[in-house]
Amino acid sequence: MGAVPSTPRGGAQPRDAAEQLMAAFVGEKPYPLSSEFWNQLLELPLTMQWPQDRVLQACQLFAQHNYHTSHLAKILIHLVWSLQDLMLISSGSSTAFRKSVNAACISSVFLKFMIENAKSENFEELCLNLDKDEMKQSNLPTDQSIEVFVMQGMLNFIGASDVSPGSCLLHHELLNLMLVAMSTQLCSGPSPGPKDVHPFIDAAMLQESDVVASAVCKLLMNFITRPHFPFDGSTYPFSPEGNQLGVLQRVGSAAANFVLLPYYTFNYLLSSSAEGARSPLAEKSLLVLLVLIHYRKCIAVANNGLEDVDSTTYLRENSSFYDNPYCKALENARDIQFDRVDIEGNAHNGPLLRIPFASLFDRLAVCLADEMPVLLLYSLVHGNSDFLEYVLVRTDLDTLLMPILETLYNASKRTSNQIYMLLIILLILSQDSSFNASIHKLMLPSVPWYEERLLHHTSLGSLMVIVLIRTVKYNLSKLRDIYLHTNCLAILANMAPHVHRLSAFASQRLVSLFDMLSRKYTKLAELKNDKVIKVEMDQIDGVSVADDMSPEIHIYTDFLRIVLEILNAILTYALPRNPEVVYAILHRQEVFQPFKSHPRFNELLENLYTVLDFFNSRMDMQKLEGEWSVDKVLQVIIINSRSWRGEGMKMFTQLKFTYEQESHPEEFFIPYVWRLVLSHGFTFNPGAINLFPVELSGDDDLSGEQSV
């Protein structure tokens, strides 16, 4: 490497210049920040293809020499300087633009390799420190770490610069570099601890509130507006022209020549230009936003000298976290079209974001088949009270709810996490009584995606009941997740007192839900009894399995009770408005008989049988000519509902379920967000991932270019 000149020889061809400069970059000789070498390196034109094996060799050399050269820190500093130049020049500079893109791309490749292959837990290999004298000579702030300086520069540019055909590629590369820089989280365990080191994302958390607010605003606006620019070679000053290979064509090293810059950028932008539905920049913006808002930095907690305490358990139970400014910024977002004065005088922490809620609502509604927007919607309705209020007062709730219900309907094609998040969103919405009332008044002419039967002129509320019960049935047979059951039943319970003209099919499904859960309960009870009898026959002393099945039986006992409370709420508060529910109970009254004397259910069933006795007696009083038909039974129910006064009904406290996050939500959300990042084209060395279990196949390439 020492024999390779550090600068191009006179008359050297572009490819030779690229080889020499890149050889010097990955070599052992350090170049000061002020060296002309950096301008020559970053002003090279670019190509978009690079063989993986050649890049691996260069990365290995770079990692070996970076301890001495600190070239990673230096190229990141030059990236910030180039971005600052771009922001100072209103019209934009092609040279500064080229340098910024080059610096972002090169940094992404080498930084990613070093994170994936880091040997130390605090990523000392990155060498993000420079000599103070050199920093002073370069007018760098000596009281600020390099990673803080770099993240501030990137976030400043992203937040303050408009996305245009000329800058789209740079924005995309900066977002990709941010994901790379924050990917140190993949190397840590699932429970954030005080000893975890994440240089760049921790630096992002230290930014000023105005930087944070502008970055969050721009990332949200990128998601909303979906910037989409067809790739045009004339747009980019470094693009190949004709048969001339315009850039950084090969990287020179003692071992080989290779192409450097990420092929994925060109392919991603070019392929997406033919797909009207995709916006790579919108996807990257949303991924970066999700990583930022769900990060939690753990504060060190002393164990007070408790030597015999499990340190991991103690830290988990006693840990606390710094406030996340990006999460706070999202929570403080307000509607740009409704500048409401806070009459209660509530103080807001930091500058307010102004976002067009209508555009955000509409954008979310059309892309909820994807998990990323679902997670954003959850973050908004859970954390931002203004956005939740905006959603609840919309008169076209079907715009948002229909995609949610369709996704739940296709649960078998979705991940359990996506189903879980959608149910939580519905649970949060169902906590509002006006929501529960309005969904039953909104009529749907048809539901084209519901295939089991034709649903014509069905209320949105009835459809919601049908889909939720279908989700319970699917979960019972496939996922068997207790939390999914609980959430579905909690939503139905919140809806129950406000049910209005529930459809015949929805009413039938509600009764069949009790039947389905009762059969599961009965099977578990029989299994438990069989075990008890077997133990008694075998006369095994000291062994008691009578309670082996108790936890699961208790769970299904609770489920059955909730369903009975749902039916009770409808019959108590809304019977005259729901003749189809009364008909469904009359039609399947035998399913309740086995539980009539059950101590957990008898009071609730007394109410139900009060209703059954009332309407059975009214039917017996009818002098009917011919057979009973559905229409005739319904007519009797409707007529007698007018005289129903609820006499003899016991009043129970209405069930009201609210959603609360678990005590350690970061243990779910951080791994979940990074799974989403990996599933959307971000690659990482599977062998370096400790955040969640990864199955390693024989074909996995641990160089970091295989998708997980």
Side-chain angles (χ1 to χ4, degrees):
M1 294 295 295
V4 179
S6 61
T7 56
R9 296 184 296 266
Q13 296 297 315
R15 73 190 320 178
D16 297 329
E19 290 177 14
Q20 294 169 26
L21 289 166
M22 289 307 302
F25 177 67
V26 303
E28 59 188 3
K29 179 181 177 180
Y31 289 88
L33 276 169
S34 58
S35 171
E36 183 60 24
F37 162 76
W38 296 104
N39 286 330
Q40 293 174 341
L41 173 68
L42 298 179
E43 287 178 12
L44 285 170
L46 299 174
T47 189
M48 298 290 184
Q49 300 176 3
W50 49 295
Q52 180 182 329
D53 59 332
R54 305 304 192 196
V55 174
L56 178 58
Q57 294 176 34
C59 288
Q60 290 168 340
L61 279 171
F62 183 81
Q64 177 184 338
H65 297 137
N66 187 57
Y67 284 105
H68 176 58
T69 65
S70 294
H71 278 182
L72 177 63
K74 292 172 183 177
I75 195 171
L76 288 170
I77 290 170
H78 274 278
L79 166 63
V80 175
W81 285 345
S82 298
L83 294 174
Q84 290 172 346
D85 288 344
L86 275 176
M87 294 175 69
L88 289 173
I89 304 170
S90 58
S91 60
S93 162
S94 60
T95 300
F97 180 82
R98 184 188 296 115
K99 288 170 68 175
S100 299
V101 174
N102 272 345
C105 291
I106 295 171
S107 300
S108 293
V109 172
F110 290 102
L111 176 58
K112 182 162 165 291
F113 176 85
M114 297 185 74
I115 291 173
E116 291 172 321
N117 294 277
K119 304 300 181 187
S120 63
E121 293 183 355
N122 59 355
F123 298 99
E124 290 178 351
E125 297 91 335
L126 301 183
C127 299
L128 297 173
N129 294 303
L130 293 180
D131 181 81
K132 286 190 176 181
D133 290 336
E134 184 173 9
M135 292 185 71
K136 285 182 179 179
Q137 292 172 8
S138 302
N139 294 321
L140 288 169
T142 55
D143 59 342
Q144 187 181 65
S145 69
I146 289 174
E147 50 266 38
V148 169
F149 175 75
V150 170
M151 292 303 284
Q152 182 184 55
M154 289 197 292
L155 288 165
N156 253 329
F157 182 84
I158 289 170
S161 302
D162 292 332
V163 178
S164 66
S167 67
C168 183
L169 179 60
L170 175 55
H171 277 270
H172 185 274
E173 287 307 322
L174 287 175
L175 292 172
N176 185 70
L177 176 56
M178 286 194 66
L179 286 176
V180 169
M182 297 186 294
S183 67
T184 53
Q185 292 177 85
L186 285 166
C187 303
S188 296
S191 298
K195 295 182 179 180
D196 290 346
V197 175
H198 302 295
F200 291 100
I201 193 166
D202 285 343
M205 298 297 141
L206 299 175
Q207 301 302 319
E208 296 292 335
S209 59
D210 56 340
V211 174
V212 170
S214 61
V216 171
C217 185
K218 179 54 66 71
L219 293 172
L220 272 174
M221 291 307 299
N222 286 347
F223 167 70
I224 292 170
T225 60
R226 296 173 59 79
H228 188 82
F229 304 108
F231 183 82
D232 177 5
S234 64
T235 305
Y236 306 108
F238 50 78
S239 60
E241 297 178 5
N243 294 324
Q244 297 291 324
L245 288 174
V247 220
L248 204 61
Q249 217 184 31
R250 293 185 297 169
V251 179
S253 73
N257 297 322
F258 59 95
V259 181
L260 174 65
L261 286 220
Y263 68 89
Y264 62 81
T265 299
F266 177 77
N267 288 342
Y268 198 37
L269 290 172
L270 183 58
S271 63
S272 67
S273 66
E275 303 175 22
R278 289 193 67 189
S279 172
L281 194 63
E283 289 181 11
K284 284 279 195 233
S285 297
L286 184 50
L287 286 172
V288 169
L289 179 63
L290 292 175
V291 171
L292 288 169
I293 65 175
H294 287 291
Y295 178 65
R296 294 293 182 272
K297 178 65 175 176
C298 187
I299 300 173
V301 180
N303 65 1
N304 299 320
L306 301 175
E307 300 294 338
D308 57 340
V309 174
D310 183 331
S311 60
T312 302
T313 303
Y314 182 87
L315 286 173
R316 183 185 184 279
E317 293 177 353
N318 295 276
S319 60
S320 58
F321 298 86
Y322 292 104
D323 285 341
N324 181 320
Y326 299 85
C327 182
K328 292 291 183 185
L330 188 70
E331 291 175 355
N332 285 340
R334 298 293 181 263
D335 191 356
I336 199 170
Q337 298 174 357
F338 184 49
D339 191 8
R340 185 179 64 184
V341 177
D342 191 344
I343 58 176
E344 296 179 0
N346 295 326
H348 297 290
N349 186 14
L352 291 180
L353 274 70
R354 294 295 179 183
I355 299 294
F357 280 2
S359 300
L360 180 56
F361 180 95
D362 292 341
R363 174 51 52 198
L364 286 165
V366 299
C367 55
L368 290 178
D370 191 352
E371 290 187 72
M372 293 190 302
V374 170
L375 185 51
L376 176 61
L377 177 58
Y378 161 80
S379 303
L380 286 164
V381 298
H382 175 253
N384 189 311
S385 57
D386 272 43
F387 185 77
L388 174 59
E389 182 181 337
Y390 174 83
V391 171
L392 293 171
V393 299
R394 289 277 296 222
T395 56
D396 59 342
L397 277 169
D398 55 314
T399 305
L400 190 69
L401 289 186
M402 287 296 279
I404 292 177
L405 296 177
E406 183 178 2
T407 304
L408 291 175
Y409 177 79
N410 293 307
S412 61
K413 302 174 185 177
R414 308 298 178 191
T415 67
S416 57
N417 283 340
Q418 184 175 9
I419 301 304
Y420 186 58
M421 298 311 301
L422 288 171
L423 289 174
I424 292 174
I425 290 167
L426 292 180
L427 177 56
I428 292 171
L429 296 176
S430 72
Q431 292 168 193
D432 183 81
S433 57
S434 65
F435 168 84
N436 294 320
S438 61
I439 57 175
H440 289 284
K441 297 174 184 176
L442 207 160
M443 302 304 295
L444 307 168
S446 64
V447 186
W449 44 262
Y450 197 92
E451 298 177 352
E452 279 80 355
R453 63 185 295 157
L454 293 175
L455 296 178
H456 288 306
H457 204 59
T458 300
S459 71
L460 184 59
S462 293
L463 178 63
M464 198 160 152
V465 169
I466 292 167
V467 172
L468 287 170
I469 293 172
R470 190 178 187 275
T471 304
V472 172
K473 185 177 181 181
Y474 168 74
N475 183 44
L476 197 62
S477 61
K478 301 290 183 183
L479 301 177
R480 300 180 182 178
D481 186 327
I482 297 300
Y483 290 105
L484 290 185
H485 275 336
T486 303
N487 282 333
C488 287
L489 295 176
I491 298 164
L492 291 170
N494 286 346
M495 293 169 60
H498 311 279
V499 166
H500 183 84
R501 296 199 175 280
L502 198 66
S503 71
F505 184 50
S507 302
Q508 293 162 18
R509 301 309 297 157
L510 198 52
V511 175
S512 72
L513 173 62
F514 181 87
D515 184 33
M516 178 173 58
L517 293 172
S518 68
R519 282 186 274 113
K520 177 69 174 177
Y521 170 88
T522 302
K523 185 181 294 185
L524 289 170
E526 290 174 352
L527 185 59
K528 175 186 174 182
N529 291 336
D530 288 344
K531 285 192 174 185
V532 172
I533 293 171
K534 185 177 186 302
V535 170
E536 290 175 349
M537 291 177 64
D538 292 343
Q539 296 181 345
I540 301 176
D541 294 334
V543 177
S544 176
V545 295
D547 293 329
D548 275 2
M549 304 301 295
S550 290
E552 197 169 2
I553 288 178
H554 288 158
I555 288 170
Y556 278 91
T557 302
D558 290 340
F559 288 163
L560 285 170
R561 182 173 175 86
I562 292 174
V563 176
L564 286 176
E565 294 208 46
I566 291 168
L567 291 170
N568 255 270
I570 297 173
L571 296 176
T572 303
Y573 299 101
L575 186 149
R577 304 193 303 272
N578 292 282
E580 294 287 1
V581 175
V582 176
Y583 177 87
I585 293 172
L586 281 170
H587 183 64
R588 298 288 307 279
Q589 54 189 288
E590 74 280 355
V591 304
F592 303 103
Q593 185 63 37
F595 299 93
K596 200 170 182 180
S597 59
H598 194 291
R600 289 289 307 279
F601 307 146
N602 55 0
E603 283 189 330
L604 292 165
L605 283 171
E606 282 179 18
N607 271 358
L608 194 141
Y609 273 96
T610 298
V611 174
L612 284 173
D613 292 344
F614 177 85
F615 286 97
N616 280 328
S617 65
R618 295 304 187 274
M619 289 181 64
D620 291 341
M621 293 167 59
Q622 297 294 316
K623 295 181 179 179
L624 180 68
E625 296 181 2
E627 297 285 331
W628 280 103
S629 66
V630 174
D631 289 339
K632 289 178 180 177
V633 174
L634 268 176
Q635 191 62 31
V636 172
I637 292 172
I638 291 170
I639 292 172
N640 286 280
S641 291
R642 297 166 187 164
S643 59
W644 167 258
R645 296 292 179 268
E647 296 173 358
M649 296 283 281
K650 293 183 179 179
M651 299 298 290
F652 295 97
T653 303
Q654 286 187 26
L655 285 184
K656 182 73 173 181
F657 290 90
T658 57
Y659 169 71
E660 291 184 7
Q661 277 190 344
E662 298 286 341
S663 57
H664 288 275
E666 69 284 346
E667 294 182 359
F668 170 78
F669 286 107
I670 293 178
Y672 183 34
V673 169
W674 279 103
R675 285 186 182 276
L676 293 179
V677 173
L678 291 171
S679 69
H680 283 78
F682 187 84
T683 59
F684 202 84
N685 177 357
I689 296 176
N690 296 311
L691 187 60
F692 43 74
V694 178
E695 293 184 8
L696 295 176
S697 67
D699 297 331
D700 281 327
D701 186 334
L702 299 186
S703 65
E705 297 310 319
Q706 292 292 322
S707 296
V708 177

